[in-house]
Amino acid sequence: MARKDKASNAAQKMKGKAKETAGKLTDDERLEREGKTEEAKGDVKQAGESVKDALKRGRR
């Protein structure tokens, strides 16, 4: 399941980056902020996955 989660997190980051870029190009501050927020959520989720991976390696 970890690979699926990591892929989902990466997709969320890319989607956020796309929204942020679209917001910049169209001078839509709301869309830009929304994109930054979504990208940050993806980063936090990826960090959580890294912690889970590290804990799994420590148990072995």
Side-chain angles (χ1 to χ4, degrees), residues 19-30:
K19 279 186 180 182
E20 180 184 354
T21 301
K24 285 180 182 179
L25 291 174
T26 60
D27 281 335
D28 185 341
E29 291 179 8
R30 183 192 59 80

Side-chain angles (χ1 to χ4, degrees), residues 4-60:
K4 183 178 179 184
D5 291 339
K6 288 178 185 179
S8 175
N9 299 339
Q12 183 173 19
K13 282 183 62 174
M14 289 189 312
K15 183 179 174 186
K17 190 65 174 173
K19 279 186 180 182
E20 180 184 354
T21 301
K24 285 180 182 179
L25 291 174
T26 60
D27 281 335
D28 185 341
E29 291 179 8
R30 183 192 59 80
L31 186 60
E32 188 176 345
R33 279 192 313 271
E34 195 176 297
K36 286 181 181 181
T37 301
E38 197 162 326
E39 193 174 356
K41 286 180 183 179
D43 284 336
V44 169
K45 288 179 180 179
Q46 278 187 325
E49 287 297 321
S50 295
V51 169
K52 286 196 296 189
D53 289 345
L55 289 173
K56 285 180 185 176
R57 281 187 292 243
R59 290 183 192 154
R60 292 182 186 167

